[in-house]
Amino acid sequence: DAKTTQPPSMDCAEGRAANLPCNHSTISGNEYVYWYRQIHSQGPQYIIHGLKNNETNEMASLIITEDRKSSTLILPHATLRDTAVYYCIVRANTGNQFYFGTGTSLTVIP
Amino acid sequence: GAVVSQHPSRVICKSGTSVKIECRSLDFQATTMFWYRQFPKQSLMLMATSNEGSKATYEQGVEKDKFLINHASLTLSTLTVTSAHPEDSSFYICSAGISGIGEKLFFGSGTQLSVL
């Protein structure tokens, strides 16, 4: 599975949009982009995933560039409870393992 | 969303003893489950892939005789840390997937193992 590169840490003001980037320049055509987050001492929580098109759900939006070499997770109105480590993962079809990178530690500031 | 239940959430044991961790998919069947280990301030490291009805597949460097995995049913996988030592102290997390377009993994809440 393709490797991903994320900034190690970011800050965001409460109520503002948090934009978390991810580079995956070696992504293959059949690999999806997934985002998970992990709040301290808990299991990772699924946020969103996509293949080519931008996606939106109740938690976040996922913007994937046209060449699919990078993506951005957008939390539209960050709250203090969004403080967590966010992981971007690229993975091929069913049954393949999820390998976690180092992630981005997001701190939402009051 | 789908629920993966992991038990126990925390365990303390003496060095040399064995510890079993259970992972259950509560509302779906999982032919494949995954086990991860996480040390403080580090990312999750995949240990093994648990396959229902067959032997688990271990990642390179993970001792299969030390970390015994049993996936006896479509809703239950267990990880047994045998002859635990202090260096095995870690946060262990299981996950299971739901097949579909772009399979999603759901994670348990993790087990904090402390070996004295």
Side-chain angles (χ1 to χ4, degrees), chain A:
Chain A
D1 291 334
K3 290 185 179 179
T4 61
T5 304
Q6 298 177 253
S9 64
M10 291 181 63
D11 293 338
C12 177
E14 187 178 17
R16 303 297 293 270
N19 297 283
L20 292 89
C22 179
N23 286 323
H24 31 79
S25 58
T26 59
I27 192 170
S28 299
N30 65 343
E31 288 181 318
Y32 288 79
V33 180
Y34 292 81
W35 283 84
Y36 282 77
R37 72 180 183 184
Q38 185 180 27
I39 297 170
H40 182 63
S41 298
Q42 296 182 25
Q45 176 190 23
Y46 167 81
I47 300 173
I48 200 167
H49 76 286
L51 182 62
K52 296 181 182 179
N53 300 322
N54 298 338
E55 303 287 344
T56 295
N57 62 21
E58 64 279 5
M59 290 183 67
S61 295
L62 172 61
I63 308 299
I64 303 174
T65 58
E66 192 170 343
D67 63 8
R68 302 208 325 122
K69 293 184 176 182
S70 65
S71 61
T72 301
L73 177 74
I74 302 173
L75 307 178
H77 305 287
T79 70
L80 299 180
R81 286 182 292 183
D82 291 323
T83 293
V85 178
Y86 287 76
Y87 295 99
C88 168
I89 302 165
V90 293
R91 176 180 182 256
N93 298 326
T94 300
N96 285 15
Q97 291 82 350
F98 274 67
Y99 292 101
F100 284 77
T102 53
T104 296
S105 178
L106 174 69
T107 301
V108 180
I109 302 170

Side-chain angles (χ1 to χ4, degrees), chain B residues 6-63:
Chain B
Q6 190 172 340
H7 179 80
S9 59
R10 183 178 295 273
V11 58
I12 301 172
C13 70
K14 293 182 179 180
S15 185
T17 60
S18 294
V19 174
K20 179 184 285 188
I21 302 170
E22 291 188 349
C23 180
R24 295 180 184 273
S25 56
L26 295 186
D27 50 2
F28 65 99
Q29 293 183 331
T31 55
T32 304
M33 291 185 177
F34 303 95
W35 287 95
Y36 294 82
R37 179 168 55 181
Q38 186 175 32
F39 293 108
K41 299 190 177 183
Q42 295 187 22
S43 185
L44 285 79
M45 184 192 78
L46 180 65
M47 299 175 66
T49 302
S50 168
N51 301 298
E52 189 268 335
S54 64
K55 291 183 179 181
T57 303
Y58 291 82
E59 295 295 305
Q60 191 172 9
V62 178
E63 300 176 60

